[in-house]
Amino acid sequence: MNVNIPVIMNTHSTSIAPKARAQALAPGRALLAVENVSVRFGSIVALDGVSFDVQAGQVTGLIGPNGAGKTTLFNCLSRLYVWQSGDIFFNGRSLRPIATHRIAGMGIGRTFQNLALFESMSVLENVKVGGHSVTSTGFFANSLRLPAVRREERVLTERACQLIEFLELASVAHLPAGQLPFGTRKRIELARALMGRPQLLLLDEPAAGLNHEEVDALGGLIRSICKGLGVTVLLVEHHMGLVMGVSDAVVALNFGRRLAAGTPQEVQRHPDVIAAYLGGAQ
């Protein structure tokens, strides 16, 4: 897959790579730091003092059996859930006071387990929806179709076309998304998430429902997004072959607690991880 993306013009940057943020990472500081995070729903403990870091420029896999707390953690990162103790830092800034609708603008993008595309809209239109977090014109300017709005619309269209080309969707760009195969719609959702130029991309079970060939292609695509576009990736996935093949680091959860963290090889060999997946003494 070709990852040499042509430079395009936009109102904030000259690249589809992640936009620069006001605060640069200090040397050695993680892009994302989860520190002793606990989440409880009544008497149910979904996360219990979970801590780990995600380094910039890497793919980090988050694994664990069903009910381990992976999606709960993703929902905390997206500010859909509130954690009771601990904190989460992105670019050195706590996410606790950040409103849910501000998360994308901070540089965090996400895909979900269940697709939520606008089925009657074209692929191009669906992808452009993801650019809302990088637009600057408001309701008044849009209602009057001022020149700034038209310029911004051209920028979004150009960016969307570049991502469509990158994700090999050009042949279906003007077709309704609802008519396309499941694997293709997964790539549309991925393009939409990349429209906001995220620094950190959260992928929630992207291989679910894909066949073997599609999973292999997805692995190459994730590496291309990370290494070619410079987007850090945090991946929740049950497909162990995919996780171990694309990840630079892996974190394993079980019953809301961290079992292990390290390289894919280290985590695979960890006795607690083996016991969680295959059964045995905890």
Side-chain angles (χ1 to χ4, degrees), residues 67-271:
K70 305 182 298 297
T71 298
T72 296
L73 180 58
F74 260 35
N75 285 339
C76 290
L77 297 176
S78 304
R79 293 299 287 117
L80 299 174
Y81 288 171
V82 177
W83 52 94
Q84 282 74 45
S85 61
D87 211 345
I88 300 172
F89 296 91
F90 177 69
N91 262 333
R93 182 181 179 185
S94 172
L95 294 184
R96 184 179 290 276
I98 307 301
T100 304
H101 68 279
R102 300 291 185 189
I103 289 295
M106 287 186 66
I108 300 176
R110 178 179 178 178
T111 65
F112 290 82
Q113 293 180 24
N114 299 317
L115 292 174
L117 299 177
F118 298 97
E119 296 193 352
S120 63
M121 290 168 53
S122 71
V123 171
L124 176 61
E125 290 167 335
N126 269 278
V127 174
K128 285 172 64 176
V129 167
H132 71 91
S133 65
V134 294
T135 58
S136 57
T137 54
F139 174 79
F140 179 76
N142 276 270
S143 64
L144 297 178
R145 296 295 296 172
L146 297 179
V149 173
R150 295 194 294 271
R151 287 194 299 269
E152 202 165 59
E153 182 72 16
R154 288 194 298 270
V155 166
L156 288 179
T157 300
E158 191 172 9
R159 180 196 301 281
C161 288
Q162 293 289 338
L163 286 170
I164 284 171
E165 186 70 28
F166 175 67
L167 292 168
E168 300 181 355
L169 294 166
S171 64
V172 297
H174 300 289
L175 296 179
Q179 295 180 3
L180 300 173
F182 184 75
T184 302
R185 284 184 282 148
K186 283 267 191 175
R187 280 184 283 138
I188 298 169
E189 186 187 39
L190 190 52
R192 185 174 63 184
L194 289 169
M195 271 294 289
R197 297 195 307 275
Q199 286 183 289
L200 175 66
L201 180 61
L202 309 176
L203 299 180
D204 195 353
E205 298 193 26
L210 301 184
N211 61 37
H212 182 73
E213 291 183 356
E214 290 171 332
V215 171
D216 287 345
L218 175 64
L221 182 57
I222 291 171
R223 296 301 293 178
S224 295
I225 289 170
C226 181
K227 305 307 179 184
L229 297 184
V231 179
T232 302
V233 176
L234 180 59
L235 167 70
V236 164
E237 184 54 66
H238 286 288
H239 194 293
M240 287 299 99
L242 174 63
V243 174
M244 299 303 172
V246 303
S247 298
D248 300 292
V250 176
V251 178
L253 302 179
N254 195 28
F255 293 112
R257 296 182 178 180
R258 195 188 86 173
L259 288 182
T263 66
Q265 295 76 19
E266 290 170 341
V267 172
Q268 279 182 305
R269 294 194 298 263
H270 198 286

Side-chain angles (χ1 to χ4, degrees), residues 14-71:
T14 57
S15 172
I16 64 170
K19 59 184 177 181
R21 307 292 164 177
Q23 184 178 15
L25 281 175
R29 193 175 73 188
L31 177 65
L32 178 73
V34 179
E35 299 184 358
N36 297 309
V37 169
S38 295
V39 176
R40 294 175 176 82
F41 302 104
S43 61
I44 298 173
V45 180
L47 293 174
D48 189 3
V50 171
S51 296
F52 66 89
D53 291 341
V54 174
Q55 300 298 326
Q58 292 190 352
V59 177
T60 299
L62 186 62
I63 65 171
N66 288 330
K70 305 182 298 297
T71 298

